[in-house]
Amino acid sequence: MPQLIKPARLRPGDTVGLIAPGGYTSARAIDKALRNIESLGLKVKQGRYLREVFGNYAGSVEQRVADLHAMFLDPEVSMIWPIRGGSGCISLLAHLDYDLIRRHPKILLGYSDISALHLALHKHAGLVTFHGPVASSTLTDYSREHMMAVLADPRPQYTIPMSQENAKQALSQPHFGIHTHTHGAASGTLMGGNLSMVAALAGTPYAADIGGSILFLEEVNEAPYRIDRWMTQLDLAGGFRNAAALVVGICENCGPEHEDLSLTLERTLGLHLHPLTIPAVTGYSIGHIRNQCTLPIGVRATLDTNAQTITLREAAVA
């Protein structure tokens, strides 16, 4: 893997490149993204193919790659912000110019299907990228505070607490609650993203580097048996025991579907986390939720299960 490189910090008035590297988008989502960007005191430049539709993708592979490359090359653009995840980012990986991206390092922020880009750019460009809201997300005080602290305010150490709003929501929706399977503190490189995408890349040249990492995973709209399959695949490929810690975010709408018999999400995750001797937790403020934190891929951090915090041990931007 190339030596780690950090993008320049985000500054007031900077220009954000708005693209759709995965699923197709809509005029309504674009309007929301524009409002989000302007509310942060930033300018926007829309990708040439932002409004393209090719099946359920936002244009062909060639069009989506062209928009991503163009934003990295554009000297006016400081941050690249996908409008949504969806599906299709995995198809871009073999077509990206990683040397070009490394020569023009910029902030890339997003979650869900964007996880494919995060893992590939970490492995082949050595670029620190950011797992956090997409441009059309509903930004809350919590998500905005921790996003801007990580992107715009480089500090040698920054502690991210879990969302109190999520804790309140856990009173009526138990999967929003934090469950510690193995207590402790551990340090390592932040690594991970959407579970199905991290599992899909296992065994490929773009696989997540699990060894010694604080591995974080999240999922949405998937039945427990699929969660079990992907967790098993990932464990067989990389070995959860080789990580420094394992953190599972809030997996929204991942209960049993129409199966006559099914394990719950909690029991399914427990099958994989409970046997571990490394710190292992579920219910952290990561995933397809409004109150989500922003985590820089490739940056050293410490998980503390007693304090329920993730502390960045270095600045993620230059």
Side-chain angles (χ1 to χ4, degrees):
M1 191 192 81
Q3 185 177 356
L4 199 66
I5 187 169
K6 299 175 181 179
R9 59 170 289 189
L10 192 62
R11 298 178 184 274
D14 276 353
T15 297
V16 172
L18 183 64
I19 61 170
Y24 71 91
T25 190
S26 65
R28 182 177 180 181
I30 292 172
D31 287 343
K32 186 178 181 182
L34 296 178
R35 291 195 302 271
N36 279 341
I37 294 168
E38 290 167 1
S39 75
L40 296 170
L42 304 168
K43 302 171 186 175
V44 63
K45 177 172 283 191
Q46 298 181 32
R48 178 179 179 183
Y49 300 110
L50 177 64
R51 292 169 173 77
E52 289 292 320
V53 178
F54 181 72
N56 68 321
Y57 306 121
S60 66
V61 169
E62 292 76 15
Q63 289 172 324
R64 288 178 283 140
V65 167
D67 263 4
L68 188 61
H69 283 163
M71 291 303 180
F72 273 107
L73 281 170
D74 193 326
E76 293 182 1
V77 172
S78 300
M79 168 176 159
I80 302 169
W81 205 357
I83 193 165
R84 62 167 296 197
S87 60
C89 285
I90 193 171
S91 299
L92 310 187
L93 306 187
H95 305 279
L96 295 180
D97 186 334
Y98 295 99
D99 288 335
L100 177 154
I101 292 169
R102 183 170 175 81
R103 291 195 306 270
H104 303 87
K106 295 179 182 180
I107 293 168
L108 174 70
L109 172 67
Y111 73 108
S112 193
D113 198 57
I114 309 302
S115 298
L117 298 178
H118 291 321
L119 295 178
L121 295 188
H122 173 263
K123 197 142 195 175
H124 293 282
L127 179 64
V128 173
T129 61
F130 301 84
H131 185 279
V134 291
S136 63
S137 289
T138 298
L139 300 179
T140 65
D141 290 343
Y142 176 87
S143 62
R144 185 183 292 105
E145 174 188 350
H146 297 293
M147 177 179 77
M148 295 306 291
V150 172
L151 299 182
D153 185 14
R155 309 179 202 177
Q157 181 168 300
Y158 181 69
T159 296
I160 303 171
M162 296 303 105
S163 165
Q164 290 302 307
E165 291 302 315
N166 290 340
K168 293 176 185 176
Q169 202 162 343
L171 297 175
S172 59
Q173 296 176 275
H175 66 284
F176 273 79
I178 291 175
H179 184 191
T180 302
H181 292 260
T182 308
H183 283 280
S187 297
T189 299
L190 282 168
M191 184 62 53
N194 177 252
L195 171 59
S196 60
M197 186 52 58
V198 178
L201 291 176
T204 76
Y206 312 100
D209 296 317
I210 292 178
S213 72
I214 296 177
L215 179 65
F216 66 92
L217 303 166
E218 60 83 21
E219 196 46 85
V220 66
N221 298 335
E222 299 290 355
Y225 77 89
R226 296 194 196 98
I227 302 286
D228 183 39
R229 179 197 303 150
W230 291 322
M231 293 289 282
T232 301
Q233 178 187 358
L234 199 51
D235 193 15
L236 289 172
F240 291 148
R241 67 189 179 280
N242 296 321
L246 179 55
V247 180
V248 178
I250 295 170
C251 297
E252 185 75 313
N253 195 29
C254 288
E257 294 179 331
H258 308 294
E259 297 81 18
D260 292 333
L261 294 171
S262 174
L263 294 175
T264 63
L265 171 66
E266 182 180 356
R267 286 201 63 191
T268 299
L269 292 173
L271 291 175
H272 298 277
L273 274 69
H274 190 66
L276 298 174
T277 57
I278 60 173
V281 295
T282 65
Y284 272 41
S285 302
I286 304 163
H288 289 68
I289 52 174
R290 290 189 174 190
N291 291 293
Q292 63 165 302
C293 61
T294 294
L295 298 177
I297 305 282
V299 164
R300 291 180 291 109
T302 298
L303 168 72
D304 186 332
T305 67
N306 292 320
Q308 297 182 348
T309 57
I310 296 173
T311 298
L312 308 183
R313 296 296 181 186
E314 58 180 310
V317 290

